[in-house]
Amino acid sequence: MNPYPRVDDVDVLIVGAGISGIGIAVTLSTERPSTSFLMLEARAASGGTWDLFRYPGVRSDSDLHTFGYAFKPWRERESIASGARILAYLRETVTENGLDEHIRYGQRVVGADWSSSRARWSVEVEDVASGERRLVTAGWLYCATGYYRYDAGHTPAFAGRDRFRGRIVHPQQWPEDLDHAGRRVVVIGSGATAVTLAPALAETAGHVTMLQRTPGYVLPVAAVDRGALRMRRWFGEKRGYALTRHKNIAIQRALWLFCRRFPTTARRRIRRIVQRQLPDGYPVDEHFNPPYDPWDQRLCIVPDGDLFAAIRYGDLTVVTDRITTFTETGVQLASGRELEADLIVTATGLNLRMLGGISLRVDGRKVSPGDTVVYRGLMLSGVPNLALAFGYTNASWTLKIGELAGYFCRLLAHLDANGFDTARPIADLEMATHPLIDLAGGYVRRSVDELPKQGEAGPWRSSTGYAEDVRLLRHGHVVDQFLHLSGPADREQTADS
């Protein structure tokens, strides 16, 4: 007997009401209006990442003409947008598409168990406020939970941390009452969060030091896309947005391909761009010339070169060194130098977590994501009727989410038309596999064994290009020999035999 009362049964259960979940829900409701769906969100509001991150200066690191939805034009002037504006855009999307009635907030998905005999997921859901648990059943489970832990970011075990008399915060848990005005701030990190946070803090702090162990690639980009404004003026909002989107997709792809094919030339050109942004005689190679090739890790962008401007004005200092220990008044470095601080910000990265930490079982057998291979960037080998929302790491995340959502609707239509209700990818156990995320960042290396794998070819290799995904997901065959389909007739035949 099940200990939890069943309160819902839907065709599709979407976990997460962030940018991915909202996009999937709109596509589903538009292309398959007769398909019932429910969205469960552990937070008290929609927006996902953009509701969670509240640190100063939080913004996108992709332009909103590609990071935004294909079906909803980005109308703001700035294409590199603040977190607040992105959140408003997402919530406007929810309202415009009537998604409010489909979303239940404060509901955390704890576990999900697939029953082949019933072709349903039994999903255990916890009410965050009361701790009460209930069960939702669904034909499909679509996990739009992102790929990192929401409850805690990554912070290394710094020696002497308890000695520091000031305040230590991680950007993922930025306190509302934190006043940094006039303070000496040390930001530890060199990734996207650090290069976003440091110049924003420098606007009012006494001084900001960005302390990095290893330099990263940083590129200035225009916060306002003048070409996008002209497109809107000449062709109207909808068509102008579509044209700008195509333009920026091509630029993103060209930059990535150039960096991967000609890394030495790309390194030199990036260095030259950065050098022009900095004061004469600045030690560019010490602070902005990484020991790895471009796109071995993500490139960081800074709108209108704000990081470099803060350096030029003297409000921000970059230090490249290793931490020996925290002290009562700051940070002691391997070089012997001590950085004095009133506030230390550990912009040291994220902890990855697939499927939002949901415990999965298929017919009672526990599923470890690290033992699976991703099929078409959407499903996990051996796991029926489960879809993932996993976007690009070398372009705007949501470009791929849109194509996956469209393919998902095509797959549902194919199942319905042919009397099937179950789709299960079957992988060759002897197939060579590689990490799903092809980046060398520490956040990837720390969690590589917990992430699904990808294969070397076919539907098991995760595409890194939008044009390729359009061919495969939008215009390619819906099913292939690796996707096993079944329905009620198959279960009846099995029961009779």
Side-chain angles (χ1 to χ4, degrees):
M1 180 178 179
N2 200 300
Y4 311 117
R6 191 183 75 187
V7 297
D8 290 290
D9 181 77
V10 291
D11 295 325
V12 180
L13 179 63
I14 300 172
V15 185
I19 192 166
S20 298
I22 292 168
I24 291 160
V26 172
T27 303
L28 190 61
S29 61
T30 302
E31 298 192 14
R32 293 186 56 83
S34 62
T35 298
S36 64
F37 70 94
L38 180 67
M39 303 175 69
L40 299 181
E41 170 57 54
R43 297 181 62 76
S46 62
T49 295
W50 303 104
D51 180 62
L52 172 68
F53 287 159
R54 304 295 179 91
Y55 58 81
V58 59
R59 57 166 172 77
S60 65
D61 60 358
S62 298
D63 72 279
L64 263 295
H65 298 96
T66 57
F67 191 64
Y69 301 122
F71 56 80
K72 180 174 172 59
W74 176 253
R75 298 181 175 91
E76 300 284 347
R77 178 178 174 81
E78 290 81 9
S79 60
I80 306 298
S82 69
R85 289 184 176 182
I86 296 171
L87 186 59
Y89 171 84
L90 296 180
R91 290 180 176 166
E92 189 176 81
T93 304
V94 169
T95 301
E96 289 175 350
N97 291 276
L99 298 184
D100 293 285
E101 64 184 82
H102 295 276
I103 306 176
R104 293 187 179 178
Y105 297 108
Q107 304 297 307
R108 178 183 293 113
V109 175
V110 178
D113 197 330
W114 170 261
S115 168
S116 295
S117 63
R118 294 187 293 113
R120 310 300 283 175
W121 283 101
S122 295
V123 182
E124 186 179 351
V125 181
E126 179 184 67
D127 185 280
V128 174
S130 68
E132 177 187 352
R133 295 197 176 187
R134 57 178 61 89
L135 209 63
V136 176
T137 56
W140 278 82
L141 185 61
Y142 207 134
C143 293
T145 52
Y147 64 101
Y148 64 89
R149 288 185 58 170
Y150 268 42
D151 58 341
H154 174 69
T155 303
F158 292 113
R161 179 187 175 104
D162 294 339
R163 296 166 57 194
F164 181 60
R165 293 198 294 259
R167 195 164 183 178
I168 302 172
V169 299
H170 191 285
Q172 195 167 319
Q173 287 87 32
W174 195 268
E176 292 184 7
D177 64 345
L178 182 57
D179 181 11
H180 63 275
R183 306 282 184 89
R184 298 167 299 177
V185 183
V186 171
V187 177
I188 302 173
S190 61
T193 302
V195 302
T196 298
L197 186 59
L201 292 172
E203 293 178 4
T204 56
H207 189 79
V208 174
T209 301
M210 191 177 90
L211 172 60
Q212 58 184 14
R213 182 175 60 182
T214 306
Y217 288 101
V218 183
L219 272 178
V221 299
V224 176
D225 185 338
R226 303 288 176 182
L229 299 181
R230 287 193 292 271
M231 294 283 192
R232 286 166 59 182
R233 190 164 59 248
W234 295 341
F235 299 103
E237 190 169 84
K238 187 174 181 179
R239 184 165 175 77
Y241 175 72
L243 291 170
T244 300
R245 187 175 173 88
H246 288 303
K247 168 183 74 74
N248 290 357
I249 288 171
I251 290 172
Q252 287 177 5
R253 185 63 176 172
L255 174 61
W256 183 80
L257 286 174
F258 177 73
C259 289
R260 301 311 286 169
R261 292 176 180 175
F262 309 103
T264 302
T265 303
R267 175 193 289 272
R268 286 200 299 264
R269 292 192 180 182
I270 293 171
R271 185 191 183 282
R272 198 153 50 238
I273 292 169
V274 171
Q275 187 175 28
R276 288 198 294 264
Q277 293 277 321
L278 293 167
D280 291 340
Y282 188 88
V284 178
D285 290 326
E286 180 181 355
H287 302 309
F288 291 102
N289 193 7
Y292 52 85
D293 288 336
W295 275 111
D296 282 353
Q297 298 185 30
R298 284 183 65 96
L299 268 68
C300 296
I301 65 168
V302 287
D304 295 333
D306 59 0
L307 178 78
F308 304 119
I311 293 172
R312 291 197 305 270
Y313 298 148
D315 299 324
L316 190 153
T317 301
V318 177
V319 174
T320 304
D321 208 332
R322 291 179 177 272
I323 296 173
T324 301
T325 183
F326 283 22
T327 67
E328 289 82 358
T329 56
V331 179
Q332 182 77 41
L333 304 179
S335 63
R337 180 181 179 184
E338 182 174 355
L339 302 177
E340 294 188 346
D342 305 303
L343 169 66
I344 295 175
V345 181
T346 55
T348 46
L350 307 169
N351 289 315
L352 299 195
R353 172 182 278 177
M354 289 299 295
L355 309 177
I358 299 170
S359 175
L360 285 183
R361 292 184 178 276
V362 172
D363 295 324
R365 176 182 57 84
K366 183 175 176 57
V367 176
S368 297
D371 296 331
T372 66
V373 186
V374 173
Y375 171 82
R376 296 202 186 202
L378 180 73
M379 301 178 70
L380 299 180
S381 60
V383 183
N385 289 29
L386 181 134
L388 303 175
F390 199 90
Y392 297 119
T393 56
N394 65 342
S396 290
W397 173 269
T398 39
L399 286 176
K400 184 154 191 169
I401 300 301
E403 294 307 313
L404 292 173
Y407 170 75
F408 177 67
C409 290
R410 292 178 65 211
L411 177 57
L412 293 184
H414 180 87
L415 294 176
D416 286 350
N418 292 277
F420 299 123
D421 57 16
T422 302
R424 183 196 304 251
I426 305 297
D428 180 358
L429 298 178
E430 303 302 319
M431 177 174 57
T433 60
H434 305 280
L436 177 62
I437 303 178
D438 186 23
L439 293 174
Y443 71 101
V444 176
R445 293 195 304 270
R446 287 192 301 270
S447 305
V448 67
D449 292 336
E450 301 172 21
L451 302 179
K453 307 296 189 295
Q454 65 171 311
E456 293 184 322
W460 307 107
R461 184 183 65 83
S462 292
S463 168
T464 57
Y466 178 71
E468 181 181 356
D469 276 329
V470 168
R471 290 194 301 271
L472 294 175
L473 298 173
R474 194 188 305 181
H475 301 301
H477 295 295
V478 179
V479 299
D480 53 37
Q481 70 269 31
F482 303 106
L483 190 63
H484 179 74
L485 307 182
S486 60
D490 300 285
R491 290 194 291 277
E492 291 173 8
Q493 183 176 0
T494 301
D496 294 339
S497 61

